[in-house]
Amino acid sequence: MEPVHKITSLDGTWKPGDVVLDAAGNLRVRSNHPKWVWDYASEGSTRDPFTGGASVPEGGLEESDVPRPLVLLVRDGQAVGGRPIEE
C-alpha cells in the first residue's frame, strides 16, 4: 500500500475543490471564500457539471475548525490515490 500524503500546514497548499479527510474522520472540501476556507462535503459530484473543473463550495468553516493532519483524497475532481501533492 502506498503511503498517504498528509499536510499539517495552514499555508496555500490547498486548492479550491480539494476533498480531504480530517483528523476527526470528517470529509471537508476547500472553498474560495477568504474566511470560510473549508466546507462540509456534499452528496454532489467532485466535478462541476457545466465546466468539468473541480466543484467548489461556498465555504462554511474557518481554517482552525478543521483538525489536522489532513489527508488529500481528491484534487481537480479526481482521486489522488496517495500521490504526493506538487506545490
Side-chain angles (χ1 to χ4, degrees):
M1 182 185 311
E2 293 182 39
V4 177
H5 189 70
K6 295 182 181 180
I7 298 176
T8 57
S9 65
L10 299 176
D11 61 15
T13 302
W14 302 109
K15 293 182 178 180
D18 282 353
V19 178
V20 300
L21 180 68
D22 71 17
N26 300 305
L27 290 175
R28 301 294 184 229
V29 184
R30 188 70 176 194
S31 76
N32 273 329
H33 194 282
K35 180 176 181 177
W36 310 105
V37 296
W38 291 101
D39 206 341
Y40 303 94
S42 70
E43 294 180 10
S45 174
T46 58
R47 287 201 162 287
D48 185 301
F50 302 107
T51 67
S55 178
V56 179
E58 296 295 319
L61 300 164
E62 292 185 48
E63 197 75 70
S64 60
D65 294 332
V66 181
R68 300 308 201 262
L70 303 175
V71 178
L72 180 65
L73 303 176
V74 176
R75 171 154 286 172
D76 297 326
Q78 297 185 356
V80 173
R83 292 175 298 180
I85 299 172
E86 295 180 19
E87 299 177 32

